[in-house]
Amino acid sequence: MGKYTVIVAEKPSVAKGIAKLVGATKAVTQKANGYLEGNGYRVTWAFGHLVGLKNPEAVGLGGNILPIVPERWETDIIQLPAKSGGDMNATIAKQMKILDELFASAGSIIEATDAGREGELIFRYIYEYLGHSTPFSRLWISSLTDEAIRKGMNELRPGSEFDALSDAAHSRSEADWLLGYNASRALTLMSGSKTKLSLGRVQTPVLCMICNRFDANKNFVPTPFWQVQALVHKEMDNFQVVSIIKYQSEAAAKEAAERARASMRMRVTKLEKKQVTSKPPLLYDLTALQRAANSKLGLTADQTLKIAQELYEKKYLTYPRTGSRYISEDVYHTIPSLLQKIQGYARFSEAAAERQGKKLCRRSVDDTKVTDHHALLPTTNIPKDLEGNLKSIWEMVCARTIEAFGEDSLSERTSAEFDCGGTGFKATGSVVTKAGWKSVLGVNEAEEEAKKNTDENGNDDAPAGKLPPLNEGEVLPAGKIETVRKTDQPLPIYTDGSLLAEMETCGKRIEDEELRESMKDVGLGTPATRAQHIERLIQIEYIVRKGKKLIPTDKGTAVWKMVRHLKIADVRTSAEWERDLGLVEQGKKSKKEFDRGILQFTLEVIEDIRKNVTPMEGVSGSAEPQRTCPICGRPMRNMKFSVTCDAENGGCGFKISREIAGKKLPATAIEALAQGKRTAVLKGFKSKSGSSFDASLEVDRENHKVAFYRDRGPVLTGRACPVCQKALTDDPWKLSCECGFKLYKTQGEVKLTTEQLDTLLGGGAVALFGMKGKNGKKYNARISLNQENGQIEREFINDKKKK
């Protein structure tokens, strides 16, 4: 029996916090040896996953064998690709050796990896691979504050209590291996692709969601309609009304407008007022936080997860990978003291203080809806020095916490109808009468966020502005009356935020927040893994991010076209697996039963691909996104040497060459040009004389080509032409004037700085060294600009003067 208790954390940073609390006093001297020691403990760590399932080739199932079903599951130490993980592989191997030695000498082991399915798998794979039988306990905590760790260490639970969680973790890993390798190999073989294609349990349904939405958006044919708009005057107030009828023809709308113009008198025919109660929002889970951060800050799901994880490790947030938006009764009793702590943070001091001594809203309190971890909360450690996105995300969680326990917000919503010469109009208005929870961030921001959410769900009945006091029957003068052409809109292309929302509800568009909560058990992936599925699709070049939008590439589109009608693309099936994994986790379904179902489904998927997939163009082609021509709007083709609007298929022939003036254009430049935008300044173009220059590119719409950008306005702090005093024009090579003056930016192959150009225009001289003459010989000279004729004058400098 060993002397020490070994504690295994998921990361070195977490291990350091635990070691300090348990009294590992030799941390500094022992750190280089892969563990911290003291007070009867040895605290060590993983680097996330150190052990994983062997790939098919490693278990003798390479080549074109199908199905790939190992006789038994074998694990090995993870090997990262040589390009990215050469040094890390040596570190992992060394750490595994240290873990082996520590386990061999341990009297007991404490599993302190993250309290969730993946944290469980990280420890179990290490423990099983090393083959030791030392009993272990589980540290199960929801935050890394000293108080939480201390409480958890006093309430350690037997490792066997988490065997069902371990079963679910193993089944998830094995299911992804089995289906992923088999489906990927089957598709690669049947498609005739020269490169390996990838399919996956969650990744493929998500790809299909992205491609379906993009295809529907791109091919959407808008239906036009017309409405009549009018301005109405009420004393000092003006407000706008719109026709009740959406006219299907412009003629009908114009006729209705003429009737209204003949009257110019708006009579209030119907007036309704009602009080609207807005209850406090639920607390954040990870997915809700990722959606909000994508909307407010433009962060990707993966970026938000990493920031939240860092805040957790800094002891400022509770466990971030939670799928619950609720807290239990015992946590609810700690909220008043948490709000008291938040009063110490200047931005929320007043809002938190306002809740003291008042009854807290219980909407986010439900023991039955808390699984492994409760909703995201700030800890009682209030930060003082956070900056950037770390600060923004912490403040978002903090604000939501105060909001969730606040009072109802009340507003008065007015709906009015009018008649003007037989044409009916309507207007709505909303006024907040009691801010309640909306006062935390301000009513305007809360209303704007509500509008974003309703708009995202296709609902145009967003909160309106204020209407003046109206009375039924009163007549008001009308102002400008006009017809307006409108069209229905397609569903928007997915962003991280909107995609996460639909992954959460299995792609089903559900507006009601609480109904979405009840559908979480049949979502795609888990809150902890959804971000990595999106990043995986980008990594394998099936999609790209364009701003916030997620756009399929040619390669991703080709794969989608082959598999969209197959079993593996079925969103509901993948979601049901996630539900079944949850049942395994709860001990309500056996691992054997789940594994049997996955194997059967894998065999069906292989057969499905064999029968229905034929070779298709694009699977081994460009990974670039599909683009539309910035001139004629038709699809462009991604070709080897250019991106072209194909004239043979009705296009205008506009072309973006991949190399211009000796420079290969980066993807960002091609993307900007395809959108009709000017590129950033690109370095390294070559002129016909061989000299190098920097420039931006733009679309020359008149001549249907890409051209170097030429700014037509005045440049260089407003300096004028030295000959005629008119404004100078700038282009990549020179400053020039309509009078014929030219000042080239390169003199003797030496590029002039902005300051040097300024000096010359102001009548000063500039010394240049290493200039080249026509004979190729180098020389040094002091140059100046003749202010009368605009010619460059040179005064040669010998080498001694230069020294």
Side-chain angles (χ1 to χ4, degrees):
M1 189 67 71
K3 178 181 177 183
Y4 289 94
T5 295
V6 174
I7 301 177
V8 185
E10 191 162 317
K11 294 180 180 177
S13 58
V14 177
K16 184 178 178 182
I18 295 174
K20 182 180 177 182
L21 196 71
V22 299
T25 55
K26 296 182 181 178
V28 176
T29 56
Q30 294 295 331
K31 187 173 182 180
N33 294 330
Y35 64 95
L36 315 170
E37 183 179 292
N39 200 29
Y41 291 99
R42 283 178 173 169
V43 184
T44 188
W45 52 82
F47 301 105
H49 284 281
L50 298 184
V51 175
L53 294 173
K54 288 184 177 180
N55 62 36
E57 289 73 20
V59 292
L61 295 173
N64 296 335
I65 298 171
L66 284 173
I68 313 167
V69 183
E71 293 181 10
R72 60 187 179 86
W73 293 107
E74 297 180 43
T75 58
D76 202 352
I77 298 172
I78 281 176
Q79 285 288 310
L80 300 175
K83 287 183 181 178
S84 60
D87 294 339
M88 194 61 192
N89 285 333
T91 303
I92 289 172
K94 178 185 174 185
Q95 191 64 16
M96 283 297 293
K97 185 178 179 182
I98 290 166
L99 284 161
D100 191 17
E101 292 170 355
L102 292 175
F103 281 15
S105 62
S108 61
I109 298 172
I110 297 175
E111 176 190 356
T113 46
D114 283 357
R117 190 190 292 170
E118 286 309 297
E120 192 69 25
L121 189 65
I122 286 169
F123 174 79
R124 296 284 184 136
Y125 267 170
I126 293 170
Y127 185 79
E128 292 160 6
Y129 178 80
L130 295 176
H132 295 287
S133 57
T134 308
F136 64 91
S137 303
R138 188 61 158 108
L139 174 68
W140 190 267
I141 52 178
S142 288
S143 79
L144 291 174
T145 61
D146 290 354
E147 182 184 356
I149 296 171
R150 194 176 291 112
K151 187 173 184 291
M153 289 294 290
N154 290 330
E155 298 174 358
L156 291 174
R157 298 158 69 178
S160 57
E161 273 190 29
F162 298 89
D163 285 348
L165 178 64
S166 173
D167 284 346
H170 282 76
S171 285
R172 193 282 305 156
S173 177
E174 292 158 12
D176 285 349
W177 190 104
L178 199 62
L179 184 63
Y181 277 119
N182 277 286
S184 299
R185 186 173 292 181
L187 183 66
T188 303
L189 291 172
M190 297 310 298
S191 69
S193 174
K194 296 177 182 178
T195 58
K196 288 182 180 179
L197 299 179
S198 175
L199 296 180
R201 178 178 64 91
V202 177
Q203 137 193 336
T204 301
V206 173
L207 171 68
C208 289
M209 287 171 63
I210 293 170
C211 291
N212 287 337
R213 174 65 66 84
F214 181 80
D215 185 64
N217 183 281
K218 185 179 70 171
N219 296 312
F220 179 79
V221 179
T223 303
F225 62 91
W226 288 261
Q227 284 186 289
V228 183
Q229 286 181 178
L231 203 62
V232 183
H233 306 292
K234 173 74 185 276
E235 297 172 355
M236 299 297 290
D237 291 317
N238 295 325
F239 61 96
Q240 194 174 69
V241 296
V242 64
S243 60
I244 296 172
I245 296 174
K246 294 180 178 180
Y247 299 96
Q248 299 308 304
S249 73
E250 187 175 12
K254 285 184 174 180
E255 184 181 333
E258 285 303 319
R259 290 197 303 268
R261 289 191 193 101
S263 169
M264 298 302 286
R265 288 163 59 82
M266 288 277 177
R267 183 170 60 86
V268 182
T269 58
K270 186 178 180 181
L271 192 66
E272 288 185 353
K273 291 184 179 182
K274 62 179 181 178
Q275 295 292 324
V276 178
T277 300
S278 174
K279 294 194 172 296
L282 294 170
L283 293 163
Y284 283 134
D285 66 356
L286 177 60
T287 302
L289 177 65
Q290 287 169 319
R291 291 178 58 198
N294 182 249
S295 172
K296 291 181 180 180
L297 307 173
L299 296 175
T300 68
D302 188 54
Q303 286 171 330
T304 302
L305 172 56
K306 287 175 179 174
I307 292 166
Q309 181 71 24
E310 185 175 347
L311 288 168
Y312 167 67
E313 291 172 16
K314 288 178 178 290
K315 307 183 181 184
Y316 294 138
L317 285 187
T318 57
Y319 185 70
R321 298 168 188 262
T322 176
S324 176
R325 299 187 70 175
Y326 295 86
I327 59 172
S328 56
E329 285 287 345
D330 60 327
V331 176
Y332 174 68
H333 293 308
T334 69
I335 297 300
S337 60
L338 174 60
L339 292 173
Q340 192 169 17
K341 285 282 188 181
I342 293 173
Q343 286 184 57
Y345 191 78
R347 183 181 178 190
F348 301 122
S349 178
E350 187 177 336
E354 194 274 334
R355 299 308 308 140
Q356 291 298 318
K358 294 185 178 179
K359 186 178 179 181
L360 301 181
C361 175
R362 293 180 55 87
R363 187 172 179 229
S364 293
V365 185
D366 190 335
D367 282 10
T368 65
K369 294 181 179 178
V370 178
T371 50
D372 292 340
H373 297 281
H374 58 67
L376 259 170
L377 293 170
T379 67
T380 53
N381 292 340
I382 306 301
K384 295 179 181 179
D385 55 355
L386 291 179
E387 294 181 353
N389 288 328
L390 281 171
K391 180 180 180 181
S392 298
I393 293 295
W394 184 85
E395 286 188 347
M396 284 175 65
V397 176
C398 194
R400 176 52 60 92
T401 300
I402 305 171
E403 289 174 339
F405 298 104
E407 296 178 314
D408 292 351
S409 176
L410 304 178
S411 60
E412 183 180 76
R413 190 160 295 177
T414 303
S415 176
E417 292 184 8
F418 307 81
D419 178 81
C420 186
T423 300
F425 291 87
K426 65 181 179 179
T428 57
S430 180
V431 180
V432 175
T433 55
K434 180 184 175 182
W437 65 268
K438 292 181 180 179
S439 65
V440 176
L441 293 175
V443 171
N444 289 341
E445 184 169 338
E447 292 286 308
E448 185 61 29
E449 189 62 26
K451 185 178 187 303
K452 279 182 184 177
N453 289 336
T454 51
D455 288 349
E456 189 175 274
N457 287 311
N459 182 355
D460 63 1
D461 189 23
K466 184 180 179 182
L467 287 178
L470 299 172
N471 297 303
E472 202 164 305
E474 76 173 304
V475 178
L476 302 169
K480 184 179 180 181
I481 298 174
E482 59 183 347
T483 58
V484 179
R485 185 183 186 274
K486 299 180 180 180
T487 61
D488 53 346
Q489 297 297 313
L491 289 172
I493 292 170
Y494 281 124
T495 62
D496 281 60
S498 58
L499 180 61
L500 286 169
E502 301 223 358
M503 288 175 72
E504 188 177 40
T505 56
C506 198
K508 188 176 176 64
R509 297 180 61 79
I510 299 174
E511 295 176 24
D512 181 78
E513 185 180 29
E514 291 190 322
L515 183 56
R516 285 202 304 268
E517 285 294 308
S518 69
M519 288 289 289
K520 275 191 174 180
D521 289 341
V522 288
L524 275 172
T526 65
T529 61
R530 286 172 189 144
Q532 73 188 47
H533 290 302
I534 298 173
E535 296 305 316
R536 169 68 178 161
L537 288 171
I538 293 173
Q539 179 190 350
I540 59 178
E541 299 182 330
Y542 282 4
I543 65 172
V544 293
R545 275 196 188 87
K546 189 189 290 184
K548 282 188 179 182
K549 295 177 181 178
L550 298 171
I551 309 292
T553 63
D554 286 352
K555 183 178 178 182
T557 301
V559 171
W560 164 66
K561 286 179 178 178
M562 289 188 291
V563 304
R564 57 184 162 175
H565 300 305
L566 304 186
K567 292 178 184 290
I568 194 169
D570 190 329
V571 173
R572 291 280 176 176
T573 301
S574 181
E576 285 166 4
W577 291 345
E578 207 61 60
R579 179 198 60 198
D580 288 349
L581 280 170
L583 294 176
V584 174
E585 199 169 297
Q586 298 163 33
K588 297 177 181 177
K589 186 168 190 170
S590 72
K591 181 179 186 301
K592 232 177 227 186
E593 186 183 354
F594 178 86
D595 293 348
R596 248 194 330 263
I598 287 292
L599 177 57
Q600 180 58 38
F601 184 80
T602 300
L603 299 176
E604 291 171 7
V605 165
I606 294 171
E607 191 60 26
D608 202 15
I609 292 172
R610 276 177 171 156
K611 286 181 178 178
N612 296 297
V613 171
T614 55
M616 183 171 287
E617 183 183 351
V619 294
S620 57
S622 169
E624 292 181 89
Q626 296 176 334
R627 301 180 174 101
T628 53
C629 177
I631 294 176
C632 71
R634 290 184 176 273
M636 299 184 78
R637 292 180 62 192
N638 294 315
M639 304 176 74
K640 186 174 182 180
F641 299 109
S642 68
V643 179
T644 303
C645 185
D646 196 347
E648 292 182 6
N649 292 320
C652 66
F654 171 70
K655 180 171 70 173
I656 303 170
S657 296
R658 297 187 185 276
E659 183 175 318
I660 294 176
K663 177 178 178 60
K664 288 185 179 179
L665 301 189
T668 50
I670 293 174
E671 197 58 53
L673 292 168
Q675 295 179 48
K677 298 177 182 177
R678 187 189 313 148
T679 70
V681 174
L682 306 174
K683 296 181 180 293
F685 290 106
K686 293 286 184 183
S687 68
K688 290 180 180 179
S689 65
S691 60
S692 178
F693 66 92
D694 306 336
S696 298
L697 299 173
E698 64 181 348
V699 176
D700 181 347
R701 296 178 184 277
E702 292 181 12
N703 298 303
H704 283 211
K705 66 178 184 178
V706 173
F708 288 107
Y709 167 66
R710 287 172 170 78
D711 187 356
R712 308 299 181 204
V715 296
L716 287 176
T717 63
R719 285 200 182 278
C721 172
V723 178
C724 70
Q725 303 305 308
K726 290 183 180 178
L728 288 171
T729 298
D730 189 10
D731 69 34
W733 303 281
K734 64 184 179 302
L735 304 171
S736 57
C737 179
E738 60 187 42
C739 74
F741 167 76
K742 293 177 183 178
L743 173 57
Y744 287 94
K745 295 180 180 180
T746 300
Q747 298 288 332
E749 297 194 22
V750 175
K751 187 174 179 182
L752 302 179
T753 66
T754 301
E755 291 77 13
Q756 289 171 329
L757 291 168
D758 241 342
T759 300
L760 291 172
L761 288 170
V766 173
L768 299 180
F769 300 96
M771 299 171 73
K772 274 189 180 180
K774 292 180 180 179
N775 58 6
K777 291 184 177 181
K778 289 188 178 183
Y779 66 94
N780 312 315
R782 183 178 289 106
I783 65 171
S784 59
L785 193 64
N786 187 312
Q787 301 292 299
E788 293 181 4
N789 60 23
Q791 298 298 310
I792 289 287
E793 296 178 348
R794 291 174 173 80
E795 177 190 346
F796 291 97
I797 306 172
N798 61 39
D799 288 343
K800 290 180 181 179
K801 286 186 179 180
K802 176 186 173 182
K803 291 177 184 177

